[in-house]
Amino acid sequence: MVLQKIGSWTIATDRNLSEPLLVSNDCSNALSHFFQNASTQLLSVTAEAQSHPSGLDSLYAQPWVWASGGLGNMDECPLQVCLAGGTLRDSLVFASACVVPECNAMDLAADDFPAKVALASHNRQVAAVAAAVAVAAETTRTSAEFEPEFDPILIESYVSSFKRLAKINRFLKTGWVCGEYKAEWSFGTFLYLLILVVLLLLSCIGTLFVRPKSKIKSESTRTISDANTTNHAEEKKDDAEQQASMQRQQESTRIQQQSEFWDAWDMSIHLKKLCCQRPETAFLDGLKFGSILWVIFGHVIAIQSSTGPGYMNPSTFLPPHGFTTTLGGQLFFSARFAVDTFLCISGYLVVHILKTKLKRQAEHGASWWELLYLFLIRILRILPLYAMCLGFWMFVAPHLGSGPFWYQWQFYLEPCDKYWWTNFLFVNNFLPWGRPTTDSCFYHSWYLALDIQLFLLCGPWLVLLYLRSQTAGRRMTALLWTLSVVVTAFLSYTRKWSVNTLDGGSAVLFDIEGYAKPHVRAQSYLAGMLVAMLPPSSSSSSSSSSATVIYGGTRTAKAAMVTALIGLATMSLITVTGAYSRRACQFQEVPSTNDCGSSWSAEATFLYTAFGRAIWSICIATIMRLCLERQGGLIGSMLSWNIWTPLAHLSFGVYLIHPMIIFIWKLGDRQKSTFRVFSYVMDFTSITVVSFVFALLAALIVEFPFCALMRPLSKSSTTRATTSVQEEESSPLVVVQSIERNTYGTAAVAT
């Protein structure tokens, strides 16, 4: 056992030591004192407040889905609550105990703790009998007629529960947690709050006070500057007049820059632009909004079932008879395909925008400095909101709640203590090496690292090749897409990967080696790039009305759309045919040698793992192509509804924020929850609404202002010939939405 103590909170994790553990003297004395002095009422409340599992027989009867009948009534415990299990990221709490506060987690994990409790209670019974004999000697009653002030059945129930808990905990090897965890206030917390206050003040000043004045000054200065320009055209000024004119222009520039600075913090400007829609790519808003909802859908149910107290009725949720075996339950597992949708959108938009920005470089040659500057701008656009959300995760969120399960924040903060720098270098999908994605800092941000890596490896290089030779660019992109599919198939076959979440070791191996890695995910990214590189068809060039964009479509286009939709539905729901028909495998088990996980054959698992992502990317690319070619039909019309635009603009913030909302909510629970579809839908709806509200606030005070402040930097990276296009696409709601804020996905719901 290894003991970790923070204040009054202690956790003991199992390490299989050869020497037996013994209860400390402080704990032994406290137990004796408790039984000697506690009233019958206190003993009754203490005994009834903790769990009373039936023992190992119940565990053997329903392995993996065993929930031990609940966690007792922890809020009524008059002493200290200790939890059995839940000491590791991959284990859940299965019982609670109500014990004296002098006993820590190591004491409860000691081999002789049940014996110490039994001995202390026995001494209480002996003392009570002796007192009864003494009282009887002074009265006319016999000792047999005297009723002692304790209930031996109650005490035996309390003692026996510890014996059963010790056997179960020893079998599961999960350890104990005692006390209530409270995060320590650090310098980072105060610094983060100070930065947040400064950003709020800037936004309030820019919105309420500064902008109207600066706008008046700017207009006045612009009038003077125009007048000076006119006079300069009419006659030549002398040196004094030229110097005065230069001073006025400098003052005009200074005031203009000041006005632009405060305009960047004006929330009213950002709110007005929030609904701005680009007609040619309006369908992407619907794709983004639908995908982010799917991400939240998967995360809510994954975190609820595997974090905090978990479900009281896991058999209702897990296979072989739970919700996850139904047709609707497959949407939970297939939520990972939302990642590939975002990747496809990101790849398309990279080509769509860089075609204009890199046109001169393609003609005259691009220098390393220009490309490095382009990479830097891309990273800086993501960084402000990313850094603020990461700081909130590390320094603020652990202080926003309490409860018996709040200690699990430790599991998510420990990687950040060691590997926070990997997030800023965008390598957190590789480090820590050989670990699942959930073991990284701010683990759902692995997608941002993946997107940056794909941008560096594919983005500008393929666009430059395409601008020099469109045919060569398309062929190279298609070749790389094929290579990614082949590599994925090869590794799936040789490494025995499985994308089916409950396939134990095979699923864990895929999560470590492939889930967040660019060589596997590149196929979706490249599919989107290829869509942007394809030449327009004759049908799209002959279309002239917006009605054709939405409602038109040839028979071939309609057939292609139907085929793509069938392909998406098949990839999402085909797992109902047996991928989750047996109990969930434990991490050391695999379906091929154990009676668990998928009932598919090895060949079927290989085909789905190797080519499911490729099929998905082809179907999404087909839909995107049809919408771009004004052949989207009803699907294109629905995806282009104006209502999706502001919600899609907030999707980057929603992606970063919603897991924090879920963790703060669920880790603050004080009991296991009961899984019901209706309750889950209500939780999903509530978390979605709250996430969008906080994403709006984050966008107004962090994301949009910094994007506006960076606009001059972005302008300097393009030529004057493309300045107007650059200005259009570098607004906070276009470039960031089109490149940065369309480049995210979902954390690994499979883990």
Side-chain angles (χ1 to χ4, degrees):
M1 288 287 175
V2 175
L3 177 67
Q4 180 182 0
K5 185 174 182 179
I6 301 178
S8 60
W9 174 78
T10 58
I11 179 171
T13 56
D14 186 85
R15 289 296 183 272
N16 293 326
L17 297 182
S18 57
E19 297 182 1
L21 297 173
L22 301 177
V23 176
S24 64
N25 291 331
D26 291 341
C27 179
S28 298
N29 295 333
L31 288 172
S32 299
H33 184 269
F34 170 72
F35 279 103
Q36 290 293 336
N37 297 280
S39 64
T40 302
Q41 290 78 9
L42 179 59
L43 281 173
S44 299
V45 174
T46 302
E48 292 182 0
Q50 70 178 32
S51 302
H52 294 274
S54 59
L56 287 176
D57 291 338
S58 175
L59 175 59
Y60 291 144
Q62 44 179 349
W64 188 262
V65 300
W66 181 68
S68 73
L71 301 179
N73 194 352
M74 292 184 291
D75 288 337
E76 298 300 322
C77 175
L79 305 176
Q80 173 187 236
V81 173
C82 290
L83 302 176
T87 58
L88 301 173
R89 287 280 295 271
D90 54 3
S91 67
L92 286 172
V93 173
F94 64 86
S96 69
C98 186
V99 297
V100 291
E102 290 79 3
C103 295
N104 59 35
M106 190 69 81
D107 292 319
L108 270 77
D111 298 329
D112 61 337
F113 183 78
K116 290 292 185 181
V117 176
L119 178 61
S121 64
H122 177 71
N123 293 337
R124 162 70 182 268
Q125 297 182 48
V126 172
V129 172
V133 173
V135 172
E138 298 176 359
T139 62
T140 57
R141 293 184 295 172
T142 64
S143 59
E145 296 174 326
F146 182 81
E147 183 178 355
E149 294 183 359
F150 76 94
D151 186 349
I153 298 178
L154 178 64
I155 294 180
E156 176 60 26
S157 174
Y158 182 67
V159 173
S160 63
S161 65
F162 280 107
K163 295 179 180 178
R164 293 192 295 271
L165 286 173
K167 290 182 180 180
I168 298 171
N169 212 338
R170 194 177 300 115
F171 174 80
L172 296 176
K173 300 178 181 179
T174 54
W176 285 86
V177 179
C178 291
E180 189 164 308
Y181 170 80
K182 292 184 179 179
E184 297 179 347
W185 290 87
S186 64
F187 173 76
T189 304
F190 292 106
L191 179 61
Y192 181 90
L193 294 177
L194 177 62
I195 294 174
L196 185 61
V197 170
V198 171
L199 293 176
L200 287 171
L201 287 176
L202 288 173
S203 298
C204 292
I205 294 173
T207 304
L208 301 176
F209 303 106
V210 175
R211 182 177 174 271
K213 297 179 181 179
S214 63
K215 183 177 180 181
I216 294 174
K217 291 181 180 179
S218 177
E219 292 175 351
S220 175
T221 307
R222 190 180 300 112
T223 302
I224 296 174
S225 178
D226 293 341
N228 290 336
T229 302
T230 303
N231 294 334
H232 179 75
E234 294 175 353
E235 59 180 346
K236 185 177 180 180
K237 300 179 180 179
D238 55 22
D239 294 341
E241 291 176 341
Q242 290 181 2
Q243 186 176 3
S245 176
M246 291 178 61
Q247 291 178 352
R248 286 192 294 269
Q249 290 178 3
Q250 292 175 356
E251 179 66 14
S252 173
T253 302
R254 185 188 66 79
I255 295 177
Q256 180 65 23
Q257 291 176 347
Q258 182 183 28
S259 176
E260 291 178 355
F261 173 81
W262 288 112
D263 283 351
W265 298 101
D266 190 343
M267 292 184 287
S268 63
I269 294 178
H270 301 316
L271 283 174
K272 292 177 181 178
K273 293 182 179 180
L274 193 63
C275 297
C276 293
Q277 186 184 73
R278 294 174 61 86
E280 66 272 22
T281 57
F283 66 94
L284 295 180
D285 294 338
L287 284 176
K288 287 186 291 182
F289 177 67
S291 297
I292 195 62
L293 288 185
W294 204 3
V295 169
I296 300 174
F297 177 88
H299 278 172
V300 171
I301 202 168
I303 296 174
Q304 277 187 348
S305 61
S306 61
T307 304
Y311 288 138
M312 182 179 293
N313 56 336
S315 59
T316 306
F317 170 72
L318 291 172
H321 307 295
F323 169 74
T324 49
T325 62
T326 65
L327 189 66
Q330 307 315 300
L331 295 177
F332 158 61
F333 296 113
S334 57
R336 56 180 172 266
F337 284 125
V339 179
D340 299 285
T341 302
F342 283 122
L343 277 170
C344 200
I345 295 173
S346 177
Y348 165 79
L349 289 166
V350 164
V351 178
H352 177 69
I353 292 178
L354 292 186
K355 280 192 301 185
T356 300
K357 292 185 176 182
L358 297 179
K359 186 175 182 180
R360 182 184 64 82
Q361 287 83 347
E363 295 175 353
H364 304 286
S367 66
W368 284 98
W369 166 248
E370 290 175 318
L371 295 179
L372 181 62
Y373 190 81
L374 185 64
F375 298 150
L376 180 63
I377 291 297
R378 173 147 173 95
I379 291 174
L380 290 178
R381 293 242 173 133
I382 297 176
L383 207 54
L385 183 59
Y386 183 25
M388 289 299 294
C389 291
L390 176 60
F392 190 90
W393 172 272
M394 294 177 59
F395 301 118
V396 178
H399 298 280
L400 298 182
S402 62
F405 307 101
W406 199 251
Y407 72 92
Q408 293 186 17
W409 268 113
Q410 278 289 104
F411 301 150
Y412 304 100
L413 297 180
E414 286 176 358
C416 293
D417 294 338
K418 299 179 181 179
Y419 298 103
W420 61 268
W421 52 273
T422 63
N423 295 71
F424 292 100
L425 294 180
F426 296 96
V427 293
N428 50 304
N429 60 330
F430 282 96
L431 297 176
W433 183 260
R435 299 295 301 167
T437 53
T438 51
D439 286 353
S440 61
C441 176
F442 204 41
Y443 71 88
H444 62 286
S445 66
W446 63 266
Y447 189 88
L448 296 180
L450 173 66
D451 176 72
I452 290 295
Q453 292 161 11
L454 290 173
F455 180 79
L456 295 179
L457 294 173
C458 304
W461 320 109
L462 289 177
V463 174
L464 286 172
L465 178 61
Y466 169 77
L467 291 174
R468 292 173 182 173
S469 173
Q470 294 187 5
T471 301
R474 296 188 195 106
R475 289 179 178 177
M476 179 57 68
T477 304
L479 178 63
L480 292 176
W481 180 89
T482 305
L483 180 62
S484 176
V485 175
V486 171
V487 169
T488 302
F490 175 77
L491 292 175
S492 299
Y493 181 78
T494 58
R495 301 295 293 165
K496 307 298 182 184
W497 285 351
S498 175
V499 295
N500 296 325
T501 306
L502 304 182
D503 278 358
S506 299
V508 172
L509 194 62
F510 170 72
D511 180 51
I512 296 173
E513 299 178 349
Y515 185 83
K517 302 302 185 287
H519 55 276
V520 173
R521 295 290 188 176
Q523 51 195 277
S524 299
Y525 194 85
L526 293 166
M529 295 185 70
L530 193 58
V531 171
M533 293 180 180
L534 293 176
S537 65
S538 57
S539 60
S540 64
S541 59
S542 61
S543 300
S544 58
S545 65
S546 59
T548 305
V549 178
I550 299 177
Y551 299 109
T554 63
R555 290 185 178 180
T556 302
K558 292 179 180 178
M561 177 65 75
V562 171
T563 302
L565 294 176
I566 292 175
L568 297 180
T570 301
M571 291 298 100
S572 301
L573 304 175
I574 196 174
T575 49
V576 77
T577 59
Y580 301 98
S581 60
R582 298 187 290 183
R583 69 168 178 86
C585 293
Q586 301 185 43
F587 296 120
Q588 69 274 15
E589 296 179 321
V590 293
S592 59
T593 58
N594 301 98
D595 186 20
C596 64
S598 173
S599 61
W600 282 356
S601 65
E603 293 77 13
T605 301
F606 161 73
L607 291 174
Y608 187 66
T609 302
F611 302 109
R613 186 163 288 102
I615 296 174
W616 185 272
S617 66
I618 292 173
C619 294
I620 292 295
T622 300
I623 293 175
M624 292 173 58
R625 174 67 176 176
L626 291 173
C627 292
L628 286 169
E629 292 296 311
R630 304 180 177 184
Q631 302 293 325
L634 180 61
I635 299 300
S637 172
M638 295 173 62
L639 293 176
S640 302
W641 287 349
N642 292 333
I643 191 175
W644 311 135
T645 300
L647 300 174
H649 287 165
L650 299 175
S651 54
F652 179 43
V654 171
Y655 171 71
L656 291 175
I657 290 171
H658 80 273
M660 294 187 282
I661 303 296
I662 304 173
F663 278 113
I664 292 172
W665 188 349
K666 298 311 297 180
L667 293 184
D669 283 348
R670 308 190 70 86
Q671 244 328 325
K672 287 181 176 291
S673 57
T674 301
F675 176 79
R676 291 191 305 148
V677 174
F678 180 77
S679 299
Y680 165 73
V681 171
M682 296 302 295
D683 289 344
F684 164 72
T685 304
S686 303
I687 290 170
T688 300
V689 172
V690 173
S691 297
F692 271 96
V693 170
F694 279 97
L696 176 61
L697 296 176
L700 293 178
I701 67 174
V702 180
E703 184 182 7
F704 296 168
F706 279 97
C707 287
L709 292 173
M710 290 176 58
R711 194 174 304 160
L713 295 177
S714 181
K715 288 180 182 180
S716 65
S717 65
T718 58
T719 62
R720 293 185 178 182
T722 60
T723 297
S724 61
V725 178
Q726 166 65 19
E727 289 177 350
E728 177 186 5
E729 295 192 346
S730 63
S731 69
L733 303 182
V734 179
V735 157
V736 174
Q737 290 300 324
S738 58
I739 296 184
E740 281 78 12
R741 295 184 46 231
N742 286 295
T743 57
Y744 48 79
T746 175
V749 297
T751 57

